[in-house]
Amino acid sequence: MTVCIYGPNSYKNYLQGQFAALARHDDLCVIKAENSTIWPVGKPYEHGVYDASHQYIDASSIIIGDRANLRRPRRYAALYIDEDVLFLGDLHHHFGHVLLERLTRAWALMDKKFRNMKCAVLYSRAAEPLPDYYVEFLKALGVRPENIVVVSRPTRFKTVFVPEISKGPCFYSRKYAQTFDAIARSVPDGVKYEKIYMSRSGLDKRRTFGEKMIQAVFKRNGFHVICPETMHIRDQIAMVKNCRVLAGCAGTALHLALFMKPGGRVVQIKRNSKNEDNAREQFLINRSKKLDSVFIWASDEKYPTPHFTNAPQIIHAGHYMREFWTEFRFKYGPKSFDGYSDEYSAYLAAWREYRRTYGVRRKIKRTLIKIMACVIPGRERRGQFRARLNRALKCA
């Protein structure tokens, strides 16, 4: 597995430091907890599993680090269900987070003894149905929809089986990749393309200015361009599982590399001008799947932004992109960049609109919300409190 970084030395050093901290951890186990209670998201205590003596089972959390200040229940009334369940953790509504964190316990489903067991899931939007793609993933792993139990109140079960997570912020297990291999095998092959470019042009929000010119060069060099958000998840998997090269701007779409076969390559185009981005997460995916990694600095921002933002971002075929194209023998010419000045003008206009909408008043509101949230106990509750106020004050 090779890693190529096209960017300034500061970015190269930053990524090399991030990648060096990653490790592989394959000694995973499933903890058996009899007469244990699953505590749902949104309650005043940390969600997860508490054993018969009301002690928190650390393996049921995805939070890494000190949790000494979190409140723990001592006595509580809980619904009792006389069944064994497999604990799959909490479900995030964002597709990218589901791929990165919320299927990290699903490796246990590859063990036949858990295949027909009911699966307990925590979901902060319990009033809403589970996302279709999540149900599809579990069906692909052998779980019938009627065996998915959404825990919305403290519930005690006869036995709760808690698998350790197969991926964390700085580590991965081979079981993480094997989970997605199993899902990919359940999806029939679709139209096969050796090279695929994941475009952001189909997004309603957070469009990346300048992408259409870079995308056009990739297309002229044999890449099939798709907008994944316009496709059913099974069609996305069917297309990606057989490709050899997956390219696109940094973001959730490239996480679909989890369904690729070993030996391929992922080309990530950086769209923000701060060093911090999601390259570590993407590299961890690539490494777990035995894929080569290419990271290209293409940001041409006038106003630096973080990776995840609602602010306008712009990319350009600058020195580092052309260096990549030259080394990988792409064909391109001066006409490939026609229209960039118009695109940059549109980017600046979008920034003016963004500042009118999310200006100084927004910063003041968000600062006050953060200060107010400090008195709310529990990480999950603080996040929900901030989200509600952000929506109410139109800061989101």
Side-chain angles (χ1 to χ4, degrees), residues 13 24 28 42 70 106 185 234 251 272 291 344 351 360 363:
N13 294 335
R24 177 169 163 174
L28 302 182
L70 291 169
R185 284 194 298 270
R234 294 181 69 85
N272 72 302
L291 303 169
Y344 198 82
W351 253 103
V360 175
K363 290 183 179 180

Side-chain angles (χ1 to χ4, degrees), residues 193-198 218 222-224 239-240 242-248 254 257 260-261 263-268 291-292 294 324 328 330:
Y193 296 98
E194 183 177 353
K195 298 184 287 186
I196 294 176
Y197 183 93
M198 297 292 208
F218 276 85
F223 282 76
H224 178 69
M239 194 170 288
V240 169
N242 290 309
C243 81
R244 296 289 298 167
V245 185
L246 187 68
L254 289 187
M260 291 174 67
K261 295 173 182 175
R265 181 187 303 125
V266 178
V267 180
Q268 174 160 302
L291 303 169
D292 292 338
V294 177
F324 161 75
F328 282 80
F330 274 58

Side-chain angles (χ1 to χ4, degrees), residues 61 69 87 92 103 107 109 147 155 165 262 270 272 277-278 295 315 327 330 358 376 384:
S61 175
N69 294 324
F87 179 69
H92 199 282
L103 287 170
W107 60 267
L109 292 168
N147 279 348
T155 306
I165 58 175
K270 184 174 174 62
N272 72 302
D277 56 17
N278 76 334
F295 298 95
I315 58 175
E327 289 192 14
F330 274 58
Y358 303 98
I376 305 296
Q384 292 176 343

Side-chain angles (χ1 to χ4, degrees), residues 39 45 50-55 71-77:
W39 202 270
Y45 308 107
Y50 293 81
D51 65 20
S53 59
H54 311 311
Q55 295 299 308
R71 298 168 63 189
R72 305 289 175 84
R74 294 185 177 180
R75 292 187 178 88
Y76 43 80

Side-chain angles (χ1 to χ4, degrees), residues 99-250:
L99 295 177
L100 290 172
E101 304 137 5
R102 269 52 182 194
L103 287 170
T104 56
R105 303 181 197 277
W107 60 267
L109 292 168
M110 291 183 282
D111 188 329
K112 291 182 180 178
K113 70 180 180 181
F114 297 119
R115 189 67 59 84
N116 295 318
M117 188 177 291
K118 290 194 174 179
C119 297
V121 178
L122 305 178
Y123 191 35
S124 59
R125 302 184 177 189
E128 304 175 10
L130 294 173
D132 291 342
Y133 59 79
Y134 183 74
V135 176
E136 287 282 349
F137 288 152
L138 295 189
K139 283 172 64 178
L141 294 169
V143 179
R144 297 192 301 273
E146 60 268 23
N147 279 348
I148 304 174
V149 179
V150 179
V151 178
S152 58
R153 57 172 290 188
T155 306
R156 186 162 52 93
F157 292 92
K158 179 182 177 182
T159 308
V160 180
F161 292 90
V162 184
E164 292 183 310
I165 58 175
S166 59
K167 174 192 165 298
C170 296
F171 76 91
Y172 71 95
S173 163
R174 68 177 184 275
K175 293 184 183 297
Y176 178 60
Q178 289 170 353
T179 301
F180 294 94
D181 290 341
I183 295 173
R185 284 194 298 270
S186 75
V187 178
D189 287 346
V191 180
K192 294 183 180 181
Y193 296 98
E194 183 177 353
K195 298 184 287 186
I196 294 176
Y197 183 93
M198 297 292 208
S199 175
R200 294 174 63 85
S201 61
L203 294 175
D204 293 333
K205 297 180 180 179
R206 302 175 65 226
R207 180 175 75 87
T208 302
F209 290 89
E211 184 189 25
K212 62 182 181 181
M213 283 162 282
I214 290 176
Q215 174 181 305
V217 173
F218 276 85
K219 185 175 182 179
R220 283 198 295 274
N221 284 272
F223 282 76
H224 178 69
V225 178
I226 66 172
C227 297
E229 62 279 351
T230 65
M231 303 168 61
H232 190 276
I233 184 59
R234 294 181 69 85
D235 296 330
Q236 295 178 48
I237 296 171
M239 194 170 288
V240 169
K241 64 185 281 191
N242 290 309
C243 81
R244 296 289 298 167
V245 185
L246 187 68
C249 289

